[in-house]
Amino acid sequence: HYLGLYVQDTWKATPHFTVSAGLRWEPYFGGSMSTGFVQHFDSALFAQNVHSTVFPNAPAGVIYPGDSGFDTNNRPAHVKVNDFAPRLGVVWDPKGNGRTTIRASWGIFYELPHTLFAYGFSQAPPWGSTTTLNNVKFDDPWANYPGGDPFPLKLDKNFKFPQPGNYTTYPLDVKTTYLEQWNFTIEKQIGTNWLAKASYLGNNTIHLWADRPINAAVFIPGTCGTAACSTTGNTNQRRVLYLQNADQGKYYGVIHQLDDGSTASYNALLLTLQHRVSSHFSVLGNYTWSHCIAGAFTSELDGVQYTNPVNRAFDRGNCVQIDRRQIFNFTAVEDAPKFSNRLTQMVAGDWKFSQIMRVQSGGFFTPLSGLDQALNGIGAQRPNLIGDPYPANQTYTQWINPSSFGQPALGTFGNLGPGSLRGPGSLQFDLSLARLFPIGEKQRVELRAEAFNILNHYRPNTPQATFSTLSTFGQITTPQVGLASDPRIMQFALKYSF
């Protein structure tokens, strides 16, 4: 459920200066699980060996709706009512002739997570249990399963919890994500039809939701008997809770805990030049010079986790893919004039020619080690950088130099930050040619021809970036996803309006 209330006012302080101010109230309710399939993990309760009364067989530390201390009305966290978002904007016309305008604004904007973010709750015990059988007999599939057919599952006090199970949890007093956004713009009219604009745009995201793995495996150096103390085979026995209390810790695998402490920022210079529709043409061009920085965040609390569980700053760096330092956009539309000669008008009149061009620098990407060198049970670890990552003669088949990377020592993390390498830029140029044929006063036929990526410019994706696969590491093998097309594409249309 969502509720928002706001007040705002505009005050013309002087004929040349206007102030707009507002305040918005947006309480955070969070999603309510109608089935009650939600739980909360408390490390203090685990240390005290406190068990749920709703599911007594659950391991210590996890509680459910109906247990003391979990009074959220089937929500992962408490309702938060003190979320207020002020906004302020000013406009100044220094000369009072409307040809030069200075604008500035600042505001706070709250964000609500989509429902998929809480998907991890549906996979947690007891309701998220799964059973996998191999080589079953279709006439009696449960013949070799201990206890026979387990269905229907009985979610009662006698439910037996798996070893280990994966859990999801929110802080009970979770902080709501919000964005501080500001801009400062100077606009200047040049002549009759031209407008030039320079803007500084910025924002700062606070309490960005991320996934902190609070039960990651701990690296234990040395040997235990005749074998290494830390291997990928004993990950669960080296997890934090298992080392603290093996009798109860054996029930816990990965615990996805929402961390509301991640942040992000964006700062940009935007230069714009525009020619409004006159003299049969219009033009709009802009250039952006920007930088985006972000800590780790996730689209659902069951995916990307902090690489280093005790250091969220370790995963802070350039925004992957969306940090495009330089972007140039150009659009133009030209209309054929009206000719007094009827024959000339029939041949050359009513044509419209349009162009769209976009040039942008490459997005940043994160190289991956491909191995659990830290031996903490967390993926997406990064390698070491030991030389210049870019070869002298950079090509699509060798965008980065494999010999400049190396695997970290066991129990350590690589020295490369996230989003530390830049991929190739791209060029997109589209054209459109259209002609209108009026038929009487109320009917017309439109003929249109369009070409996307008319230059047939290759727009590559980022290179293969998993270091453990050396055969393809650093190679660009796939086209870029998300653009209109990779090759040249042409289409034609005929429309009759009546």
Side-chain angles (χ1 to χ4, degrees), residues 210-253:
D211 186 343
R212 179 185 291 279
I214 61 174
N215 195 37
V218 177
F219 178 75
I220 303 174
T223 58
C224 298
T226 59
C229 295
S230 298
T231 67
T232 56
N234 62 8
T235 299
N236 288 327
Q237 287 72 38
R238 292 184 291 107
R239 294 189 181 276
V240 173
L241 298 182
Y242 190 95
L243 296 176
Q244 183 178 344
N245 180 348
D247 180 64
Q248 295 299 308
K250 65 185 179 183
Y251 290 97
Y252 289 104

mmCIF file of all heavy atoms in Angstrom, residues 210-253:
data_model
loop_
_atom_site.group_PDB
_atom_site.id
_atom_site.type_symbol
_atom_site.label_atom_id
_atom_site.label_comp_id
_atom_site.label_asym_id
_atom_site.label_seq_id
_atom_site.Cartn_x
_atom_site.Cartn_y
_atom_site.Cartn_z
ATOM 1 N N ALA A 210 21.344 -3.128 -0.146
ATOM 2 C CA ALA A 210 22.299 -4.109 -0.640
ATOM 3 C C ALA A 210 22.145 -5.401 0.152
ATOM 4 O O ALA A 210 21.333 -5.494 1.074
ATOM 5 C CB ALA A 210 23.725 -3.566 -0.534
ATOM 6 N N ASP A 211 22.960 -6.391 -0.195
ATOM 7 C CA ASP A 211 22.876 -7.721 0.400
ATOM 8 C C ASP A 211 24.172 -7.990 1.159
ATOM 9 O O ASP A 211 25.225 -8.186 0.546
ATOM 10 C CB ASP A 211 22.665 -8.764 -0.700
ATOM 11 C CG ASP A 211 22.409 -10.167 -0.153
ATOM 12 O OD1 ASP A 211 22.707 -10.401 1.036
ATOM 13 O OD2 ASP A 211 21.928 -11.024 -0.920
ATOM 14 N N ARG A 212 24.098 -7.994 2.499
ATOM 15 C CA ARG A 212 25.280 -8.290 3.312
ATOM 16 C C ARG A 212 25.240 -9.754 3.735
ATOM 17 O O ARG A 212 24.312 -10.187 4.431
ATOM 18 C CB ARG A 212 25.332 -7.398 4.545
ATOM 19 C CG ARG A 212 26.547 -7.688 5.440
ATOM 20 C CD ARG A 212 26.522 -6.870 6.715
ATOM 21 N NE ARG A 212 26.726 -5.471 6.469
ATOM 22 C CZ ARG A 212 27.916 -4.898 6.281
ATOM 23 N NH1 ARG A 212 29.005 -5.643 6.302
ATOM 24 N NH2 ARG A 212 28.012 -3.611 6.071
ATOM 25 N N PRO A 213 26.245 -10.541 3.361
ATOM 26 C CA PRO A 213 26.287 -11.962 3.748
ATOM 27 C C PRO A 213 26.843 -12.101 5.170
ATOM 28 O O PRO A 213 28.054 -12.217 5.370
ATOM 29 C CB PRO A 213 27.231 -12.576 2.709
ATOM 30 C CG PRO A 213 28.125 -11.446 2.314
ATOM 31 C CD PRO A 213 27.339 -10.184 2.453
ATOM 32 N N ILE A 214 25.957 -12.143 6.150
ATOM 33 C CA ILE A 214 26.410 -12.138 7.543
ATOM 34 C C ILE A 214 26.859 -13.522 8.022
ATOM 35 O O ILE A 214 27.373 -13.640 9.126
ATOM 36 C CB ILE A 214 25.310 -11.597 8.477
ATOM 37 C CG1 ILE A 214 24.060 -12.478 8.392
ATOM 38 C CG2 ILE A 214 24.975 -10.158 8.137
ATOM 39 C CD1 ILE A 214 22.990 -12.093 9.400
ATOM 40 N N ASN A 215 26.680 -14.548 7.187
ATOM 41 C CA ASN A 215 27.106 -15.888 7.597
ATOM 42 C C ASN A 215 28.075 -16.473 6.577
ATOM 43 O O ASN A 215 28.036 -17.672 6.258
ATOM 44 C CB ASN A 215 25.901 -16.816 7.773
ATOM 45 C CG ASN A 215 26.245 -18.089 8.536
ATOM 46 O OD1 ASN A 215 27.041 -18.065 9.468
ATOM 47 N ND2 ASN A 215 25.648 -19.199 8.131
ATOM 48 N N ALA A 216 28.966 -15.621 6.068
ATOM 49 C CA ALA A 216 29.962 -16.096 5.113
ATOM 50 C C ALA A 216 30.984 -16.977 5.815
ATOM 51 O O ALA A 216 31.141 -16.937 7.043
ATOM 52 C CB ALA A 216 30.650 -14.906 4.449
ATOM 53 N N ALA A 217 31.692 -17.761 5.030
ATOM 54 C CA ALA A 217 32.733 -18.625 5.585
ATOM 55 C C ALA A 217 33.958 -17.794 5.969
ATOM 56 O O ALA A 217 34.292 -16.808 5.303
ATOM 57 C CB ALA A 217 33.130 -19.694 4.577
ATOM 58 N N VAL A 218 34.612 -18.194 7.038
ATOM 59 C CA VAL A 218 35.812 -17.524 7.538
ATOM 60 C C VAL A 218 37.042 -18.316 7.097
ATOM 61 O O VAL A 218 37.082 -19.544 7.244
ATOM 62 C CB VAL A 218 35.774 -17.412 9.074
ATOM 63 C CG1 VAL A 218 37.059 -16.792 9.598
ATOM 64 C CG2 VAL A 218 34.554 -16.605 9.516
ATOM 65 N N PHE A 219 38.021 -17.620 6.539
ATOM 66 C CA PHE A 219 39.246 -18.304 6.112
ATOM 67 C C PHE A 219 40.108 -18.622 7.331
ATOM 68 O O PHE A 219 40.429 -17.756 8.138
ATOM 69 C CB PHE A 219 40.021 -17.429 5.130
ATOM 70 C CG PHE A 219 41.327 -18.052 4.696
ATOM 71 C CD1 PHE A 219 41.333 -19.093 3.785
ATOM 72 C CD2 PHE A 219 42.535 -17.602 5.209
ATOM 73 C CE1 PHE A 219 42.529 -19.683 3.387
ATOM 74 C CE2 PHE A 219 43.736 -18.173 4.816
ATOM 75 C CZ PHE A 219 43.729 -19.224 3.895
ATOM 76 N N ILE A 220 40.468 -19.885 7.458
ATOM 77 C CA ILE A 220 41.324 -20.349 8.547
ATOM 78 C C ILE A 220 42.643 -20.791 7.931
ATOM 79 O O ILE A 220 42.686 -21.777 7.189
ATOM 80 C CB ILE A 220 40.672 -21.510 9.321
ATOM 81 C CG1 ILE A 220 39.304 -21.081 9.870
ATOM 82 C CG2 ILE A 220 41.575 -21.974 10.454
ATOM 83 C CD1 ILE A 220 38.533 -22.204 10.514
ATOM 84 N N PRO A 221 43.725 -20.063 8.168
ATOM 85 C CA PRO A 221 44.991 -20.417 7.532
ATOM 86 C C PRO A 221 45.595 -21.698 8.111
ATOM 87 O O PRO A 221 45.184 -22.176 9.178
ATOM 88 C CB PRO A 221 45.875 -19.201 7.827
ATOM 89 C CG PRO A 221 45.309 -18.625 9.085
ATOM 90 C CD PRO A 221 43.831 -18.880 9.037
ATOM 91 N N GLY A 222 46.560 -22.216 7.396
ATOM 92 C CA GLY A 222 47.309 -23.368 7.892
ATOM 93 C C GLY A 222 46.648 -24.692 7.568
ATOM 94 O O GLY A 222 45.695 -24.781 6.796
ATOM 95 N N THR A 223 47.185 -25.736 8.205
ATOM 96 C CA THR A 223 46.676 -27.090 7.995
ATOM 97 C C THR A 223 46.064 -27.634 9.277
ATOM 98 O O THR A 223 46.478 -27.298 10.385
ATOM 99 C CB THR A 223 47.805 -28.031 7.551
ATOM 100 O OG1 THR A 223 48.841 -28.020 8.543
ATOM 101 C CG2 THR A 223 48.378 -27.596 6.216
ATOM 102 N N CYS A 224 45.055 -28.446 9.093
ATOM 103 C CA CYS A 224 44.395 -29.122 10.207
ATOM 104 C C CYS A 224 44.598 -30.615 9.993
ATOM 105 O O CYS A 224 43.916 -31.244 9.172
ATOM 106 C CB CYS A 224 42.915 -28.764 10.261
ATOM 107 S SG CYS A 224 42.584 -27.002 10.545
ATOM 108 N N GLY A 225 45.551 -31.169 10.697
ATOM 109 C CA GLY A 225 45.929 -32.557 10.462
ATOM 110 C C GLY A 225 46.761 -32.652 9.201
ATOM 111 O O GLY A 225 47.803 -32.008 9.072
ATOM 112 N N THR A 226 46.278 -33.406 8.252
ATOM 113 C CA THR A 226 47.013 -33.587 6.996
ATOM 114 C C THR A 226 46.428 -32.777 5.848
ATOM 115 O O THR A 226 46.910 -32.859 4.723
ATOM 116 C CB THR A 226 47.008 -35.069 6.616
ATOM 117 O OG1 THR A 226 45.653 -35.521 6.462
ATOM 118 C CG2 THR A 226 47.713 -35.912 7.658
ATOM 119 N N ALA A 227 45.371 -32.010 6.103
ATOM 120 C CA ALA A 227 44.715 -31.245 5.043
ATOM 121 C C ALA A 227 44.653 -29.769 5.423
ATOM 122 O O ALA A 227 44.820 -29.403 6.596
ATOM 123 C CB ALA A 227 43.307 -31.788 4.793
ATOM 124 N N ALA A 228 44.414 -28.936 4.413
ATOM 125 C CA ALA A 228 44.271 -27.512 4.661
ATOM 126 C C ALA A 228 43.026 -27.254 5.494
ATOM 127 O O ALA A 228 41.992 -27.921 5.329
ATOM 128 C CB ALA A 228 44.190 -26.755 3.344
ATOM 129 N N CYS A 229 43.119 -26.274 6.404
ATOM 130 C CA CYS A 229 41.964 -25.949 7.256
ATOM 131 C C CYS A 229 40.828 -25.338 6.452
ATOM 132 O O CYS A 229 39.667 -25.434 6.850
ATOM 133 C CB CYS A 229 42.399 -24.993 8.370
ATOM 134 S SG CYS A 229 43.566 -25.702 9.547
ATOM 135 N N SER A 230 41.155 -24.696 5.336
ATOM 136 C CA SER A 230 40.133 -24.019 4.532
ATOM 137 C C SER A 230 40.155 -24.555 3.112
ATOM 138 O O SER A 230 41.168 -24.434 2.401
ATOM 139 C CB SER A 230 40.373 -22.509 4.520
ATOM 140 O OG SER A 230 40.289 -21.965 5.820
ATOM 141 N N THR A 231 39.040 -25.148 2.710
ATOM 142 C CA THR A 231 38.869 -25.634 1.342
ATOM 143 C C THR A 231 37.433 -25.340 0.917
ATOM 144 O O THR A 231 36.573 -25.010 1.747
ATOM 145 C CB THR A 231 39.119 -27.152 1.236
ATOM 146 O OG1 THR A 231 38.078 -27.850 1.943
ATOM 147 C CG2 THR A 231 40.473 -27.525 1.818
ATOM 148 N N THR A 232 37.175 -25.480 -0.364
ATOM 149 C CA THR A 232 35.799 -25.306 -0.836
ATOM 150 C C THR A 232 34.896 -26.425 -0.349
ATOM 151 O O THR A 232 33.669 -26.298 -0.373
ATOM 152 C CB THR A 232 35.765 -25.252 -2.375
ATOM 153 O OG1 THR A 232 36.388 -26.434 -2.899
ATOM 154 C CG2 THR A 232 36.500 -24.026 -2.894
ATOM 155 N N GLY A 233 35.476 -27.523 0.130
ATOM 156 C CA GLY A 233 34.673 -28.641 0.623
ATOM 157 C C GLY A 233 34.181 -28.478 2.041
ATOM 158 O O GLY A 233 33.276 -29.211 2.471
ATOM 159 N N ASN A 234 34.761 -27.556 2.808
ATOM 160 C CA ASN A 234 34.292 -27.366 4.186
ATOM 161 C C ASN A 234 33.763 -25.959 4.419
ATOM 162 O O ASN A 234 33.871 -25.418 5.523
ATOM 163 C CB ASN A 234 35.408 -27.696 5.192
ATOM 164 C CG ASN A 234 36.626 -26.767 5.041
ATOM 165 O OD1 ASN A 234 36.597 -25.804 4.300
ATOM 166 N ND2 ASN A 234 37.693 -27.096 5.764
ATOM 167 N N THR A 235 33.182 -25.374 3.366
ATOM 168 C CA THR A 235 32.667 -24.000 3.462
ATOM 169 C C THR A 235 31.646 -23.869 4.583
ATOM 170 O O THR A 235 31.718 -22.940 5.403
ATOM 171 C CB THR A 235 32.044 -23.574 2.122
ATOM 172 O OG1 THR A 235 33.043 -23.604 1.105
ATOM 173 C CG2 THR A 235 31.461 -22.160 2.224
ATOM 174 N N ASN A 236 30.677 -24.773 4.645
ATOM 175 C CA ASN A 236 29.620 -24.657 5.657
ATOM 176 C C ASN A 236 30.159 -24.802 7.078
ATOM 177 O O ASN A 236 29.622 -24.205 8.022
ATOM 178 C CB ASN A 236 28.524 -25.687 5.401
ATOM 179 C CG ASN A 236 27.687 -25.353 4.178
ATOM 180 O OD1 ASN A 236 27.465 -24.184 3.881
ATOM 181 N ND2 ASN A 236 27.239 -26.375 3.467
ATOM 182 N N GLN A 237 31.221 -25.582 7.248
ATOM 183 C CA GLN A 237 31.792 -25.766 8.583
ATOM 184 C C GLN A 237 32.656 -24.574 9.010
ATOM 185 O O GLN A 237 33.078 -24.493 10.159
ATOM 186 C CB GLN A 237 32.637 -27.049 8.615
ATOM 187 C CG GLN A 237 31.822 -28.325 8.588
ATOM 188 C CD GLN A 237 31.178 -28.578 7.225
ATOM 189 O OE1 GLN A 237 31.787 -28.307 6.185
ATOM 190 N NE2 GLN A 237 29.944 -29.088 7.224
ATOM 191 N N ARG A 238 32.921 -23.660 8.073
ATOM 192 C CA ARG A 238 33.690 -22.461 8.418
ATOM 193 C C ARG A 238 32.828 -21.202 8.457
ATOM 194 O O ARG A 238 33.344 -20.087 8.579
ATOM 195 C CB ARG A 238 34.821 -22.261 7.407
ATOM 196 C CG ARG A 238 35.918 -23.308 7.477
ATOM 197 C CD ARG A 238 37.056 -23.002 6.510
ATOM 198 N NE ARG A 238 36.663 -23.171 5.112
ATOM 199 C CZ ARG A 238 36.453 -22.162 4.266
ATOM 200 N NH1 ARG A 238 36.572 -20.907 4.677
ATOM 201 N NH2 ARG A 238 36.101 -22.399 3.012
ATOM 202 N N ARG A 239 31.525 -21.348 8.352
ATOM 203 C CA ARG A 239 30.656 -20.179 8.412
ATOM 204 C C ARG A 239 30.636 -19.606 9.830
ATOM 205 O O ARG A 239 30.883 -20.322 10.811
ATOM 206 C CB ARG A 239 29.244 -20.537 7.944
ATOM 207 C CG ARG A 239 29.178 -20.902 6.468
ATOM 208 C CD ARG A 239 27.758 -21.038 5.969
ATOM 209 N NE ARG A 239 27.709 -21.411 4.565
ATOM 210 C CZ ARG A 239 27.797 -20.546 3.549
ATOM 211 N NH1 ARG A 239 27.925 -19.254 3.792
ATOM 212 N NH2 ARG A 239 27.758 -20.974 2.296
ATOM 213 N N VAL A 240 30.313 -18.323 9.901
ATOM 214 C CA VAL A 240 30.397 -17.582 11.167
ATOM 215 C C VAL A 240 29.594 -18.259 12.266
ATOM 216 O O VAL A 240 30.090 -18.486 13.382
ATOM 217 C CB VAL A 240 29.923 -16.131 10.964
ATOM 218 C CG1 VAL A 240 29.831 -15.405 12.309
ATOM 219 C CG2 VAL A 240 30.869 -15.386 10.031
ATOM 220 N N LEU A 241 28.340 -18.617 11.979
ATOM 221 C CA LEU A 241 27.479 -19.177 13.017
ATOM 222 C C LEU A 241 27.891 -20.591 13.392
ATOM 223 O O LEU A 241 27.743 -21.001 14.554
ATOM 224 C CB LEU A 241 26.018 -19.152 12.557
ATOM 225 C CG LEU A 241 25.437 -17.758 12.290
ATOM 226 C CD1 LEU A 241 23.973 -17.858 11.884
ATOM 227 C CD2 LEU A 241 25.588 -16.855 13.507
ATOM 228 N N TYR A 242 28.413 -21.355 12.439
ATOM 229 C CA TYR A 242 28.879 -22.709 12.754
ATOM 230 C C TYR A 242 30.067 -22.650 13.707
ATOM 231 O O TYR A 242 30.160 -23.442 14.653
ATOM 232 C CB TYR A 242 29.247 -23.438 11.469
ATOM 233 C CG TYR A 242 29.520 -24.919 11.662
ATOM 234 C CD1 TYR A 242 28.516 -25.856 11.451
ATOM 235 C CD2 TYR A 242 30.772 -25.370 12.069
ATOM 236 C CE1 TYR A 242 28.748 -27.219 11.621
ATOM 237 C CE2 TYR A 242 31.024 -26.724 12.253
ATOM 238 C CZ TYR A 242 30.000 -27.648 12.029
ATOM 239 O OH TYR A 242 30.242 -28.992 12.211
ATOM 240 N N LEU A 243 30.982 -21.713 13.471
ATOM 241 C CA LEU A 243 32.141 -21.569 14.350
ATOM 242 C C LEU A 243 31.736 -21.064 15.731
ATOM 243 O O LEU A 243 32.390 -21.375 16.732
ATOM 244 C CB LEU A 243 33.162 -20.608 13.728
ATOM 245 C CG LEU A 243 33.798 -21.077 12.407
ATOM 246 C CD1 LEU A 243 34.713 -19.998 11.861
ATOM 247 C CD2 LEU A 243 34.541 -22.386 12.600
ATOM 248 N N GLN A 244 30.630 -20.310 15.774
ATOM 249 C CA GLN A 244 30.159 -19.788 17.058
ATOM 250 C C GLN A 244 29.426 -20.852 17.861
ATOM 251 O O GLN A 244 29.592 -20.963 19.089
ATOM 252 C CB GLN A 244 29.250 -18.574 16.821
ATOM 253 C CG GLN A 244 28.745 -17.902 18.079
ATOM 254 C CD GLN A 244 27.893 -16.678 17.766
ATOM 255 O OE1 GLN A 244 27.920 -16.158 16.654
ATOM 256 N NE2 GLN A 244 27.140 -16.219 18.751
ATOM 257 N N ASN A 245 28.589 -21.651 17.173
ATOM 258 C CA ASN A 245 27.804 -22.695 17.847
ATOM 259 C C ASN A 245 27.466 -23.753 16.804
ATOM 260 O O ASN A 245 26.491 -23.620 16.065
ATOM 261 C CB ASN A 245 26.539 -22.102 18.461
ATOM 262 C CG ASN A 245 25.686 -23.141 19.182
ATOM 263 O OD1 ASN A 245 25.899 -24.349 19.049
ATOM 264 N ND2 ASN A 245 24.704 -22.687 19.940
ATOM 265 N N ALA A 246 28.284 -24.793 16.739
ATOM 266 C CA ALA A 246 28.123 -25.794 15.685
ATOM 267 C C ALA A 246 26.780 -26.501 15.757
ATOM 268 O O ALA A 246 26.192 -26.835 14.725
ATOM 269 C CB ALA A 246 29.255 -26.816 15.759
ATOM 270 N N ASP A 247 26.245 -26.716 16.947
ATOM 271 C CA ASP A 247 24.987 -27.438 17.096
ATOM 272 C C ASP A 247 23.838 -26.697 16.428
ATOM 273 O O ASP A 247 22.960 -27.320 15.826
ATOM 274 C CB ASP A 247 24.687 -27.642 18.583
ATOM 275 C CG ASP A 247 23.383 -28.403 18.795
ATOM 276 O OD1 ASP A 247 23.311 -29.575 18.375
ATOM 277 O OD2 ASP A 247 22.434 -27.807 19.365
ATOM 278 N N GLN A 248 23.831 -25.367 16.507
ATOM 279 C CA GLN A 248 22.784 -24.581 15.869
ATOM 280 C C GLN A 248 23.241 -23.996 14.532
ATOM 281 O O GLN A 248 22.451 -23.827 13.613
ATOM 282 C CB GLN A 248 22.348 -23.439 16.809
ATOM 283 C CG GLN A 248 21.684 -23.912 18.085
ATOM 284 C CD GLN A 248 20.416 -24.703 17.804
ATOM 285 O OE1 GLN A 248 19.532 -24.258 17.075
ATOM 286 N NE2 GLN A 248 20.330 -25.905 18.379
ATOM 287 N N GLY A 249 24.521 -23.704 14.416
ATOM 288 C CA GLY A 249 25.034 -23.112 13.186
ATOM 289 C C GLY A 249 24.956 -24.031 11.993
ATOM 290 O O GLY A 249 24.937 -23.572 10.845
ATOM 291 N N LYS A 250 24.873 -25.350 12.216
ATOM 292 C CA LYS A 250 24.799 -26.290 11.101
ATOM 293 C C LYS A 250 23.507 -26.138 10.298
ATOM 294 O O LYS A 250 23.420 -26.612 9.166
ATOM 295 C CB LYS A 250 24.927 -27.717 11.612
ATOM 296 C CG LYS A 250 23.773 -28.162 12.514
ATOM 297 C CD LYS A 250 24.021 -29.542 13.092
ATOM 298 C CE LYS A 250 22.884 -29.983 14.025
ATOM 299 N NZ LYS A 250 23.151 -31.291 14.644
ATOM 300 N N TYR A 251 22.509 -25.480 10.889
ATOM 301 C CA TYR A 251 21.236 -25.272 10.186
ATOM 302 C C TYR A 251 21.277 -24.071 9.245
ATOM 303 O O TYR A 251 20.337 -23.853 8.496
ATOM 304 C CB TYR A 251 20.100 -25.074 11.200
ATOM 305 C CG TYR A 251 19.739 -26.327 11.960
ATOM 306 C CD1 TYR A 251 20.266 -26.575 13.224
ATOM 307 C CD2 TYR A 251 18.874 -27.265 11.418
ATOM 308 C CE1 TYR A 251 19.935 -27.716 13.940
ATOM 309 C CE2 TYR A 251 18.534 -28.410 12.119
ATOM 310 C CZ TYR A 251 19.077 -28.636 13.368
ATOM 311 O OH TYR A 251 18.747 -29.768 14.063
ATOM 312 N N TYR A 252 22.342 -23.282 9.302
ATOM 313 C CA TYR A 252 22.403 -22.053 8.514
ATOM 314 C C TYR A 252 23.431 -22.168 7.389
ATOM 315 O O TYR A 252 24.589 -22.537 7.620
ATOM 316 C CB TYR A 252 22.783 -20.867 9.401
ATOM 317 C CG TYR A 252 21.706 -20.431 10.360
ATOM 318 C CD1 TYR A 252 21.780 -20.752 11.713
ATOM 319 C CD2 TYR A 252 20.616 -19.695 9.916
ATOM 320 C CE1 TYR A 252 20.796 -20.341 12.597
ATOM 321 C CE2 TYR A 252 19.628 -19.285 10.788
ATOM 322 C CZ TYR A 252 19.719 -19.610 12.129
ATOM 323 O OH TYR A 252 18.750 -19.209 13.004
ATOM 324 N N GLY A 253 22.976 -21.860 6.184
ATOM 325 C CA GLY A 253 23.881 -21.690 5.063
ATOM 326 C C GLY A 253 24.071 -20.197 4.831
ATOM 327 O O GLY A 253 24.554 -19.474 5.691
#
